[in-house]
Amino acid sequence: MEVQDNKPISVLLVDDHTLFRSGIRSLLQRNPEFAVVGEASDGIEGIKRAQQLQPQVILLDLNMPGMSGVETLQLMLQDCPDSAIVMLTVSEDAQDLSVALKAGAAGYLLKNIDTEYLIRAIRRAANGETVVAEAMTAKLVAQLHGGGLAQPAASDLDKLTPREKEIIACLARGESNKVIARSLDLAESTVKIHVQNVLKKLGLSSRVQAAVYAVEHRLLGANGER
């Protein structure tokens, strides 16, 4: 989901710690760029609020009583496909990172990040980019090398059209839908469709996985050439 000009980014907070939610809400409310449209203290309530509000960004805790963050994420994606769901957690476990990304999370942030980093991350997520805490990047690479994130076979590249190869190369460079649209002279809605097609054809569930796939298969050329 792309940020709409002159409209604040709508954010839903889902975390079982009331004090933490209050802190994030206060932080974001001080910035006119954001609007906290709702809160929830557990997964079930979070899903209901997400369905009602259709926020641009959902900050979702990983470990909550009852329904886990990953289970909540998977159900939210069914009803809110345009929401960027970012895990905000204390867990620095590589397996948690892997599971969240495979489940379709748009990002994975740690609760000890500084204010400015969080602000930038929410802004980027709203613009269709994937955000992963810097402290987790090395662990993501290690997971990939160790087979922690299943990657499609190279033969799957044959399923992509030349335009889709250009799109996946842009994803590997961390470009948002808006930037991709500008560089390829396409409508943002068209870019969104191309991204969805790339993920479907390669059996991937997030832009992070598509970006990693592109890097591993050397699809960084302007025309997606290896």
Side-chain angles (χ1 to χ4, degrees):
M1 179 180 290
E2 300 293 329
V3 176
Q4 299 179 15
D5 293 338
N6 301 321
K7 289 188 177 182
I9 297 169
S10 56
V11 181
L12 172 65
L13 308 177
V14 184
D15 194 292
D16 61 313
H17 290 93
T18 304
L19 187 60
F20 181 78
R21 290 201 317 273
S22 297
I24 296 297
R25 183 182 67 246
S26 297
L27 168 66
L28 296 181
Q29 287 178 335
R30 291 198 296 268
N31 190 324
E33 186 178 359
F34 305 103
V36 177
V37 294
E39 297 180 38
S41 60
D42 58 53
I44 294 176
E45 183 185 0
I47 291 168
K48 291 179 181 178
R49 298 292 282 161
Q51 291 172 334
Q52 295 167 350
L53 300 167
Q54 296 292 317
Q56 289 171 270
V57 177
I58 300 173
L59 297 181
L60 176 62
D61 190 14
L62 183 65
N63 298 307
M64 297 182 291
M67 184 180 294
S68 73
V70 171
E71 292 173 320
T72 302
L73 163 69
Q74 293 170 323
L75 292 173
M76 280 180 171
L77 287 173
Q78 295 177 20
D79 297 312
C80 309
D82 290 332
S83 297
I85 306 176
V86 178
M87 310 308 294
L88 185 56
T89 176
V90 297
S91 175
E92 297 185 34
D93 184 84
Q95 186 61 31
D96 285 341
L97 169 66
S98 172
V99 170
L101 294 181
K102 285 195 287 186
Y108 193 98
L109 301 176
L110 301 177
K111 288 185 176 180
N112 62 2
I113 60 176
D114 62 48
T115 298
E116 289 305 315
Y117 190 96
L118 178 61
I119 294 297
R120 291 195 302 271
I122 295 174
R123 187 185 299 124
R124 289 174 57 200
N127 275 318
E129 299 179 51
T130 302
V131 291
V132 176
E134 293 178 359
M136 299 301 293
T137 303
K139 294 183 180 183
L140 174 60
V141 173
Q143 281 283 312
L144 289 166
H145 286 310
L149 287 176
Q151 293 296 310
S155 60
D156 287 342
L157 286 172
D158 296 335
K159 300 177 183 178
L160 301 182
T161 66
R163 176 64 81 186
E164 288 167 351
K165 289 181 180 179
E166 288 182 311
I167 295 292
I168 196 173
C170 292
L171 294 180
R173 293 192 288 270
E175 297 176 4
S176 67
N177 288 355
K178 181 177 292 186
V179 173
I180 295 173
R182 189 182 304 121
S183 63
L184 298 181
D185 195 24
L186 298 172
E188 289 181 37
S189 58
T190 301
V191 172
K192 182 177 178 180
I193 292 172
H194 281 311
V195 171
Q196 292 173 340
N197 288 339
V198 167
L199 297 180
K200 183 177 180 180
K201 288 182 179 181
L202 297 180
L204 301 171
S205 58
S206 73
R207 295 167 72 101
V208 168
Q209 292 183 15
V212 171
Y213 176 83
V215 171
E216 290 193 335
H217 292 89
R218 300 180 182 179
L219 299 177
L220 295 177
N223 297 313
E225 298 176 352
R226 285 182 286 171

